[in-house]
Structure formats: C-alpha cells, structure tokens
Amino acid sequence: MTLRAVMTSPPILVSPKATIQQAAHLMAESGCGFLPIVEHGKAVGVVTGRDLATRVAALGLSFEGIPVSAVMSSPAIQLNADLDVDTAGLLMLERDIHRLIVTEQNGVAIGVVGLSDLAGYIADKDIDKALRQHADGASPGPSPQFVF
C-alpha cells in the first residue's frame, strides 16, 4: 500500500505571505493542526498549531501582519505519494515526525499523512505497534534499529 492510498487529499495549503492570524484562522476553521506552506505548488515549510502557540509567544510576535513564514518549520519533510506505507512509517518513527507532506514526482504537494493514518497498514506488527504508540503520544520504548 502506498501513501497515496492513505493520505488526506487535497491538503489545506497556505502561502508563506499569509499572516500568522490567517493561518490560525484557517486551522480553526478546518479543524487541522498542520498546514503546508506552499509557493508555486511546492512546499517550502510547515506550520503547526504548536508552532503558533510556542513560537509566536516566545518571539513576542503579533498574530496580525506577521507572515506565517516567520514561524514555519523549514525545510518541510516530504515523501512521494508512491512510497510504501512501511517505509514511510519507519522513517517517521526514526525521525520523530508525526505528520508530513505527500508529493507527486514533480514535488507538487498533493496530500498530508500522519502517523495515525498509517496505523494498521504497516506489515511489520512490531513497527505498527510502535507507530500506534507514538501517534498516541506514548513513548514506544527503546527504538529498535531498522535498515531500509
């Protein structure tokens, strides 16, 4: 199974020029906590609800008039839509990534996938169990060493 089969698509996207307030409003309106920041169809970063809560406050920024690019995480972690879910899940566990952007071969963002989207689709049951625990916020314990 590939990421294309389990991703959320189309993704909710925002321009790097959008304000922090616009991004926060979009998150609240759509019920999502993860926005790819996209320029010319390609992701240049991401912003999460946590980014808004912590970075805006830590930097003493206003929600008005400041571009979301000031608080985005960059570069954005992206995987090709045709990558298998096992490889993606393993990569997400190893790099402690909860959500990432799914792209076409040409790099255009077409979806978003989170750990919980992959749960139940991972062939290796030990990896699937660790992935589920990580998605729930629990520590999966010592990280096993995996080789692709």
Side-chain angles (χ1 to χ4, degrees):
M1 180 171 292
T2 65
L3 291 179
R4 188 179 304 277
V6 298
M7 71 182 180
T8 299
S9 183
I12 298 170
L13 307 172
V14 68
S15 161
K17 295 176 185 171
T19 66
I20 293 169
Q21 184 176 23
Q22 289 169 324
H25 179 75
L26 190 56
M27 284 182 180
E29 201 173 69
S30 65
C32 73
F34 178 89
L35 291 176
I37 311 299
V38 176
E39 198 164 43
H40 308 295
K42 298 186 180 181
V44 295
V46 298
V47 68
T48 66
R50 184 170 186 230
D51 292 335
L52 295 180
T54 58
R55 293 181 183 164
V56 172
L59 297 173
L61 299 175
S62 166
F63 273 79
E64 296 179 22
I66 305 292
V68 72
S69 59
V71 295
M72 73 180 182
S73 297
S74 184
I77 306 297
Q78 307 171 61
L79 294 178
N80 184 276
D82 296 318
L83 185 68
D84 66 273
V85 294
D86 293 284
T87 303
L90 189 56
L91 177 90
M92 291 173 80
L93 278 173
E94 288 180 341
R95 296 193 182 175
D96 193 24
I97 299 168
H98 287 257
R99 290 169 279 189
L100 53 78
I101 300 165
V102 181
T103 65
E104 288 289 8
Q105 285 293 111
N106 62 3
V108 172
I110 60 165
V112 172
V113 72
L115 287 175
S116 58
D117 298 320
L118 302 180
Y121 295 107
I122 305 295
D124 183 303
K125 295 307 169 199
D126 289 333
I127 295 173
D128 188 63
K129 180 180 176 184
L131 187 139
R132 287 173 187 265
Q133 289 174 329
H134 197 64
D136 291 338
S139 172
S143 294
Q145 297 298 312
F146 301 105
V147 178
F148 292 75

